[in-house]
Amino acid sequence: MISLVARNTDFVVVDKPAGLNFHSEDSEGLVVLVKQQLAVESLYPVHRLDKMTSGLVVFALNKPTAQQFQTLFAERQIEKFYLAISNHKPKKKQGWVKGDMVAARRGSWMLSKTQTNPAITQFISALIRPSERLFLLKPTTGKTHQLRVMMKSLSAPICGDARYADSEQAKQEDRGYLHAFAIRFELKGQSYEFVCPPKSGQRYLDPLCTALIDTWAKPWPFFKA
């Protein structure tokens, strides 16, 4: 069963498990599973998460609402916040990361110094323990692999990320440590805020880490334009 966070007549918010494909590949993906679970004829994805990423996903339940969400995303009217953990020291502990995403080998991406159509992310971080740091990430844009590439560009690849971190070290992790933590938007004149802490991963569930996550339970005030 996929955990339901919220549902109304226009949309549903779910908590995607880590390691589950968004679309069906070798087995049924998140879209199919949610559609079956809700017993609805139509389900409209308005954004997506990578297989390794857990957390909040919004699906529209009708086409007009899906179109409204598309407009909100295009106009950057939806705020999203992610949690990531790295066991490497970052080049900087907070601030902005901006740069064009350039295709690399085997489906990977890399961050360029150019800014023609840049991926933009703001972030803060806190030390969990020596050599382990928790990051709160707020992407302004929604590029493929944006946060994973951004973390690598900081010399702090995400723990368990087999594509952008050391593949042998990634195999030792119980999951990829990227989680869609919170989302905030206004739809049809009503404001919505959803926050969902991670429910899996030894690093996330460590008491030192959960204590830090609790301090970010309302993430919006930590970021200024």
Side-chain angles (χ1 to χ4, degrees):
M1 294 284 287
I2 304 299
S3 177
L4 299 182
V5 176
R7 181 182 182 179
N8 60 28
T9 56
D10 290 318
F11 65 85
V12 60
V13 184
V14 305
D15 180 8
K16 174 191 173 294
L20 175 66
N21 281 315
F22 193 80
H23 295 290
S24 299
E25 294 183 9
D26 297 331
S27 58
E28 293 177 333
L30 179 70
V31 178
V32 170
L33 292 174
V34 173
K35 186 176 180 180
Q36 291 175 348
Q37 187 171 320
L38 298 180
V40 294
E41 292 185 5
S42 299
L43 191 68
Y44 301 85
V46 296
H47 64 127
R48 65 181 298 272
L49 295 180
D50 293 339
K51 180 179 180 179
M52 68 170 259
T53 309
S54 59
L56 295 172
V57 178
V58 179
F59 292 99
L61 295 174
N62 54 70
K63 193 170 184 179
T65 301
Q67 292 171 335
Q68 286 181 289
F69 272 115
Q70 289 172 355
T71 300
L72 290 175
F73 275 106
E75 295 178 351
R76 300 181 181 178
Q77 296 297 309
I78 295 182
E79 294 181 279
K80 295 189 295 178
F81 302 83
Y82 292 75
L83 296 172
I85 294 179
S86 179
N87 57 1
H88 289 74
K89 184 178 180 180
K91 292 179 180 178
K92 58 182 180 180
K93 298 174 183 178
Q94 64 180 26
W96 295 81
V97 176
K98 303 178 183 180
D100 291 326
M101 300 278 289
V102 180
R105 294 184 298 174
R106 299 172 184 172
S108 295
W109 295 82
M110 59 186 296
L111 202 67
S112 168
K113 293 182 179 179
T114 62
Q115 296 196 26
T116 304
N117 182 24
I120 304 171
T121 308
Q122 189 177 10
F123 74 99
I124 60 175
S125 68
L127 197 65
I128 302 172
R129 54 171 54 84
S131 301
E132 188 180 31
R133 181 170 286 272
L134 179 68
F135 292 77
L136 180 61
L137 314 171
K138 183 187 179 184
T140 301
T141 53
K143 312 287 187 181
T144 300
H145 294 182
Q146 175 174 326
L147 299 180
R148 298 163 67 183
V149 173
M150 166 257 174
M151 290 289 291
K152 183 179 180 181
S153 76
L154 290 174
S155 299
I158 296 170
C159 291
D161 188 344
R163 181 179 291 273
Y164 294 104
D166 181 275
S167 59
E168 290 303 314
Q169 290 184 10
K171 291 177 183 178
Q172 307 302 315
E173 300 287 346
D174 57 354
R175 59 161 293 176
Y177 279 86
L178 182 60
H179 176 78
F181 176 51
I183 189 167
R184 181 165 74 161
F185 56 88
E186 184 174 305
L187 183 72
K188 297 182 178 180
Q190 184 170 345
S191 297
Y192 296 93
E193 296 177 357
F194 302 104
V195 179
C196 179
K199 297 183 177 64
S200 70
Q202 293 180 0
R203 291 183 185 272
Y204 278 141
L205 300 180
D206 181 289
L208 292 176
C209 185
T210 58
L212 289 174
I213 293 173
D214 286 344
T215 67
W216 293 339
K218 292 286 186 179
W220 5 96
F222 291 94
F223 295 88
K224 297 180 180 179

